[in-house]
Amino acid sequence: MAFVKITEAASLYDDLEKKTTREMLEEMNVENGKVILAVQNVIPRIEELVNRMVPRMQQGGRLFYLGAGTSGRLGVLDASEIPPTFGMSPACVVGLIAGGEAALRRSVENAEDDAEQGWKDLLQHQVNVLDTLVGIAASGTTPYVTGALHAARKHGILTAVLTGNPDSPAAAEADIPIEVIVGPEYVTGSSRMKSGTAQKLILNMISTSVMIKLGRVKGNRMVHMRPSNRKLVDRGVRMLVEALNIPGEQARALLLIHGSVQQAIEKFKRE
């Protein structure tokens, strides 16, 4: 079966520049609605990834996201939200992007075309067999991602790829291909749109479900979040008031002393 880049297929809409603002917004929203079904279709693959990843992370393994351009930025974004949300070390979930940190703000020419650099970037973090690599490539052809997947798999590392095309070269290099097919973009080839939305949703699902399974959520609360601003302090105080039936000022003092809701609860109950 020939590999077809659905992400590069012609838009279902034309003459975009002639449309009213309302027409464009309505049509884009129709296309966005297709993303949810596309994500639903790959839940079994996401489930497999999470279930295979969690035992590794329980033994000290880490999750690496690796991508280029929009895909890389979304991986870095998801990784950066894990420490404040779940109180994990920044080394637990790591986002790597072709071209390094400079590529977060502007395009770095040809960085994604280096098939060896992705693995070199992983080696900088002493990647090992307990770790998991999730490549992110809407096209499924990005050399930076494909090369890293190939090398990681060869070294016994669990690999997955998140792509918007079926039967891609990147999928062939992954233990778990997650092929989320959202169809042609509203602006032809602009994978920052539906493909990017699907990637964001799936990355949220992966990291959140993993963190829940690692015990970083109790009930439905982020009990290990870092109270790093007024909003989060107030949220933590409310959790402690509900959990311990204590006055707000006492809850606030406990939270600020112990640094997380969970630690505050544990210390309070021991005392």
Side-chain angles (χ1 to χ4, degrees):
M1 187 176 192
F3 171 54
V4 177
K5 278 192 181 182
I6 295 173
T7 54
E8 295 292 331
S11 173
L12 302 178
Y13 307 84
D14 204 354
D15 298 322
L16 304 186
E17 73 280 6
K18 298 177 183 178
K19 296 179 183 293
T20 65
T21 301
R22 173 61 68 89
E23 286 173 329
M24 288 189 290
L25 296 176
E26 293 283 2
E27 289 171 352
M28 281 188 270
N29 197 45
V30 167
E31 290 303 303
N32 287 339
K34 299 176 182 179
V35 174
I36 300 301
L37 179 58
V39 172
Q40 177 69 36
N41 290 338
V42 298
I43 283 180
R45 291 288 195 175
I46 303 171
E47 177 187 26
E48 179 185 359
L49 173 60
V50 170
N51 286 342
R52 292 179 64 179
M53 188 193 317
V54 168
R56 289 168 165 79
M57 297 191 76
Q58 288 171 332
Q59 297 177 68
R62 299 159 294 172
L63 167 59
F64 287 91
Y65 293 134
L66 184 142
T70 298
S71 297
R73 293 182 190 102
L74 288 170
V76 172
L77 172 62
D78 195 74
S80 69
E81 292 173 341
I82 300 306
T85 306
F86 300 107
M88 297 294 279
S89 163
C92 178
V93 181
V94 178
L96 299 174
I97 181 171
E101 289 191 11
L104 291 173
R105 294 171 179 81
R106 59 180 62 86
S107 175
V108 176
E109 295 297 330
N110 303 320
E112 68 178 60
D113 295 331
D114 189 336
E116 297 180 1
Q117 188 59 49
W119 178 244
K120 291 177 183 177
D121 289 346
L122 287 165
L123 288 177
Q124 292 294 315
H125 295 267
Q126 292 79 49
V127 64
N128 64 74
V129 293
L130 290 178
D131 297 328
T132 302
L133 172 61
V134 176
I136 314 168
S139 68
T141 59
T142 310
Y144 177 79
V145 175
T146 303
L149 289 168
H150 177 81
R153 197 177 187 188
K154 187 170 67 174
H155 285 81
I157 296 162
L158 176 64
T159 57
V161 68
L162 178 51
T163 179
N165 291 315
D167 305 313
S168 67
E173 299 291 353
D175 298 307
I176 306 172
I178 303 173
E179 299 168 321
V180 55
I181 312 304
V182 297
E185 298 287 0
Y186 186 69
V187 175
T188 298
S190 182
S191 56
R192 58 180 284 273
M193 301 185 76
K194 288 191 298 181
S195 293
T197 300
Q199 290 172 350
K200 181 68 169 72
L201 291 174
I202 292 172
L203 295 175
N204 283 347
M205 293 165 74
I206 291 170
S207 58
T208 302
S209 56
V210 166
M211 290 298 126
I212 292 171
K213 282 185 165 288
L214 291 177
R216 309 308 288 184
V217 172
K218 186 173 180 60
N220 58 18
R221 304 300 179 95
M222 298 179 288
V223 293
H224 287 277
M225 69 175 186
R226 294 178 181 172
S228 55
N229 58 45
R230 184 180 300 173
K231 177 188 72 174
L232 296 181
V233 169
D234 289 345
R235 183 184 298 164
V237 168
R238 291 194 300 272
M239 290 186 207
L240 288 173
V241 168
E242 291 176 11
L244 301 175
N245 194 27
I246 58 177
E249 285 308 310
Q250 184 181 0
R252 183 177 297 273
L254 279 171
L255 180 64
L256 295 179
I257 290 170
H258 299 297
S260 79
V261 172
Q262 187 64 32
Q263 288 186 21
I265 290 174
E266 292 172 358
K267 294 286 186 180
F268 181 87
K269 289 183 175 179
R270 283 202 293 267
E271 297 170 358

